Amino acid sequence: ADPPGPARSRRELLSEPRYLTMVGAFSIALLAQISFIAHQAAFLEPSLGLKGAGWAISLTSLSALIGRLAIGLVVDRIDRRLATAIVLVVQIAGMAVLLSSAAVPALYLGCVLFGFGVGNLITLPGLIVQKEFPRRDFARAVSLNVAITQLVAAIGPSLLGVLHDLSGGYRAGFVFALCSIGITTLLWADLSNRFVWFALFVSMSFGVVGFMDDWLKIARKNPKGLSAKQKYFWLSLTGLATSIAIYMTAKTPAETT
């Protein structure tokens, strides 16, 4: 049963840490998500062509539908903040793939992974409020969250456009988006789970490879950036280091067989 008393005011809600972590995390995540969606076609068109970019956007939408159905099937059986962290880690992986390679299969894969979280970041806040706050606070807590997150997300496309104009490409903006989602994951995920750190390490490492490729092209005036061999070396080294770390930190025999 709900505790007695009137519904909390907006100020009281914003003074509560668990509400602030929810609003802050979803604001940052939606900022990154809306930024990417607004510029997705422009980013993909040089590599995939207009038709290919259209197919990639369609796959993103299909993945968003599958993602919402998948989370909907399990959200009542797992912690809803954990479900949010899973969605964010998948989106981080997608952004890392998009940053690390311009190969056609990688671009399609990155869009599919990123699309998994599109939509979930809109529905999950209401589900979290339903679980963690009294019924009397539901309407105000959800509406306030929507107002704040949408206001923050609205500046995302313009911000990404400014970064594009300053850097001469989309990589800097996507690195910003990757870091934004990474910060959100740190706010939500169980940091005692080593696999969260492994996922973040791989994703951020892929992002660094993409950033270095752009930095060489823009700052060093090297039109080729990192060579294919250099990219595969660093990406392979990341995978090898992660595999060794997973093996060395295994807690059960099943993790090493």
Side-chain angles (χ1 to χ4, degrees), residues 25-255:
F26 279 105
S27 295
I28 297 171
L30 280 171
L31 171 69
Q33 185 179 101
I34 299 301
S35 299
F36 172 74
I37 292 172
H39 292 267
Q40 186 178 9
F43 169 70
L44 295 171
E45 193 271 335
S47 298
L48 301 180
L50 191 59
K51 186 176 180 180
W55 278 111
I57 293 171
S58 298
L59 285 174
T60 304
S61 301
L62 178 61
S63 179
L65 174 61
I66 295 172
R68 294 184 79 165
L69 291 173
I71 293 298
L73 289 173
V74 301
V75 74
D76 287 331
R77 297 194 293 273
I78 65 174
D79 183 88
R80 295 176 185 185
R81 290 181 180 249
L82 174 61
T84 302
I86 292 171
V87 168
L88 293 171
V89 167
V90 173
Q91 283 204 313
I92 287 174
M95 187 61 67
V97 171
L98 291 169
L99 279 168
S100 62
S101 177
V104 172
L107 293 176
Y108 281 119
L109 174 62
C111 288
V112 169
L113 291 173
F114 191 87
F116 185 83
V118 175
N120 278 315
L121 295 185
I122 296 175
T123 56
L124 280 167
L127 295 174
I128 292 169
V129 170
Q130 180 192 42
K131 186 75 172 180
E132 298 185 2
F133 292 84
R135 186 180 305 174
R136 67 170 187 257
D137 295 326
F138 181 83
R140 180 167 292 162
V142 171
S143 61
L144 182 59
N145 172 79
V146 171
I148 295 173
T149 55
Q150 296 300 318
L151 178 63
V152 173
I155 70 173
S158 298
L159 180 59
L160 192 59
V162 170
L163 291 173
H164 172 274
D165 291 343
L166 291 175
S167 65
Y170 276 111
R171 291 287 176 88
F174 285 4
V175 167
F176 167 76
L178 176 64
C179 293
S180 297
I181 302 175
I183 292 170
T184 307
T185 304
L186 292 175
L187 289 173
W188 283 80
D190 178 8
L191 300 183
S192 64
N193 186 334
R194 69 189 192 283
F195 289 105
V196 171
W197 292 104
F198 291 149
L200 285 173
F201 169 72
V202 171
S203 300
M204 294 301 171
S205 297
F206 278 34
V208 169
V209 171
F211 175 80
M212 289 302 300
D213 186 45
D214 257 16
W215 182 77
L216 288 173
K217 292 176 181 176
I218 297 169
R220 293 297 183 90
K221 308 299 181 181
N222 180 353
K224 294 184 178 180
L226 290 174
S227 67
K229 288 183 178 180
Q230 289 174 316
K231 289 179 182 178
Y232 282 118
F233 171 77
W234 289 112
L235 297 180
S236 299
L237 184 63
T238 298
L240 177 62
T242 305
S243 300
I244 293 173
I246 291 174
Y247 182 87
M248 296 299 293
T249 59
K251 297 179 180 179
T252 63
E255 294 182 57

